[in-house]
Amino acid sequence: MVIKKAINDPETLVREIAEGVVFASHGRVRLTEGLPVLVRTAIEPGKVGIVVGGGSGHEPMYQGLIGPGFADAVACGNMFAAPTPDVILAATREADQGKGVLYLQANYAGDNMNYEIAAEMAADEGFTTRTVRTGEDVSMAPELGRRGLAGSFFTLKVAGAACGEGADLDRAAEIAQRVADNLRSLSVAFSPGSLPDTGEKTFEIAEDEIEVGMGVHGEKGVATLKMAKADPLTDLMIDKLAGDYPLAAGDRVALLVNDMGATTLMELYVVTRRAHQRLADLGVQVVDTWIGPYCTTQEMAGFSLTLLRTDAEIERLLARPAANESFLRP
């Protein structure tokens, strides 16, 4: 099979992604010797360190979310695979500034296991860590352990702001957990992504069908529907998200409209328009909106919607300036 992607050897792909981030940062990010760990070169002394990381292939999550107000170190896994404990431990050593390290990870079995092992290894070396898992996929029952989707961005954005303001480790973990508890996401796919190393599609779908409830690795959704226009599809998704809390009139939310990889900005604006209208119908105020590719699945066509129910502190931290060192910098 011919793989139509601008890559070289699949065996060196993760390393080359990380090297690209380093070059794009112009000295603000470096790569740990021998391991796929990205590190800020000027972490503020005395702050709580933040380590994120998961499978590669979802860029800019997480490699593109490193910088002041975001992650201090990124543990890079192989394609759609969790980073190994030794990689997470190396990221911990790099991020620690003497005040402990906060692990922010998406809720997947491999990530859970490897971060737990890394935390034990870090404790043996004298590091103090806390872990917050983001799992907000409303297509799954809460008791089954919901998958993490693009909402991980909000967890990182708020926790990064809190650590930048000097929050201690326990306080930063509490704020991050509050964000994770108030997230809801749902995704829809029009066409599949592919595995970068093999070119194989992540799932099959008919030309006139869409998948609702996709996972970020290309897992099939919970429902296969006929293709719908933007407004009724957005209504379905917003109603599912709002009903899961449930949201009440007067509630305030931040909205993330995430491109799954091959959806045009034109389409995202159309969806954003309808999401705002539908939330207004419910009496819910949107305090901030984020649009674009935040957590992708290669060239999958589709989008996800994330709502974060906010409070005054979360809103203040969301608004705090932050800088991606290698992705969409102003």
Side-chain angles (χ1 to χ4, degrees):
M1 177 183 292
V2 176
I3 301 175
K4 290 187 175 181
K5 288 185 179 291
I7 63 173
N8 296 306
D9 185 343
E11 295 297 318
T12 62
L13 179 54
V14 173
R15 182 79 183 185
E16 290 177 357
I17 295 169
E19 289 173 351
V21 171
V22 171
F23 279 114
S25 77
H26 289 273
R28 290 177 290 268
V29 177
R30 61 180 173 81
L31 187 57
T32 298
E33 182 68 30
L35 288 172
V37 175
L38 292 164
V39 188
R40 292 179 58 208
T41 54
I43 302 173
E44 297 82 358
K47 73 177 285 292
V48 170
I50 294 182
V51 168
V52 301
S56 298
H58 305 298
E59 293 74 23
M61 188 78 69
Y62 287 96
Q63 290 93 325
L65 300 177
I66 183 170
F70 285 111
D72 298 304
V74 179
C76 305
N78 287 327
M79 287 296 126
F80 298 172
T84 57
D86 63 316
V87 170
I88 299 168
L89 178 61
T92 306
R93 296 186 188 118
E94 297 278 18
D96 185 77
Q97 301 294 306
K99 299 296 184 179
V101 173
L102 179 61
Y103 292 158
L104 301 176
Q105 51 138 136
N107 186 38
Y108 289 92
D111 295 84
N112 295 346
M113 178 180 67
N114 289 354
Y115 273 93
E116 287 174 1
I117 294 171
E120 294 174 359
M121 296 165 65
D124 289 342
E125 293 190 9
F127 296 106
T128 302
T129 66
R130 298 286 185 275
T131 301
V132 173
R133 295 171 180 160
T134 300
E136 83 280 15
D137 182 359
V138 301
S139 72
M140 306 181 70
E143 59 269 19
L144 298 179
R146 288 178 162 175
R147 297 177 296 209
L149 301 177
S152 296
F153 168 77
F154 279 142
T155 309
L156 173 56
K157 178 66 179 69
V158 173
C163 291
E165 289 185 349
D168 65 21
L169 181 57
D170 288 337
R171 177 68 173 148
E174 183 274 323
I175 294 171
Q177 188 63 60
R178 185 162 16 117
V179 172
D181 292 342
N182 281 281
L183 287 169
R184 302 292 188 274
S185 291
L186 185 63
S187 61
V188 61
F190 307 140
S191 66
S194 67
L195 302 175
D197 50 349
T198 66
E200 294 179 3
K201 293 181 179 179
T202 54
F203 64 94
E204 297 291 338
I205 191 170
E207 286 294 322
D208 63 343
E209 292 179 337
I210 59 176
E211 286 286 322
V212 177
M214 295 297 306
V216 297
H217 306 100
E219 302 95 334
K220 281 185 70 66
V222 297
T224 302
L225 306 177
K226 292 298 182 181
M227 185 62 195
K229 293 185 182 297
D231 282 5
L233 179 57
T234 305
D235 289 351
L236 181 153
M237 297 174 74
I238 288 294
D239 289 348
K240 177 69 173 176
L241 294 169
D244 194 83
Y245 284 98
L247 291 179
D251 281 344
R252 297 162 65 88
V253 299
L255 170 67
L256 172 61
V257 183
N258 174 61
D259 167 21
M260 299 293 287
T263 306
T264 63
L265 189 56
M266 173 194 75
E267 296 166 88
L268 298 183
Y269 281 134
V270 172
V271 169
T272 299
R273 156 198 158 274
R274 185 58 183 172
H276 274 254
Q277 291 172 343
R278 185 70 192 114
L279 288 165
D281 290 343
L282 298 172
V284 175
Q285 182 177 351
V286 181
V287 299
D288 206 350
T289 303
W290 305 73
I291 307 173
Y294 285 85
C295 183
T296 63
T297 308
Q298 296 299 295
E299 69 279 8
M300 181 184 290
F303 63 93
S304 63
L305 297 179
T306 298
L307 297 181
L308 167 60
R309 183 167 54 187
T310 63
D311 55 35
E313 182 176 39
I314 288 175
E315 289 178 21
R316 180 179 60 78
L317 292 170
L318 270 179
R320 192 173 192 272
N324 301 321
E325 297 293 32
S326 62
F327 174 73
L328 290 184
R329 288 187 297 109

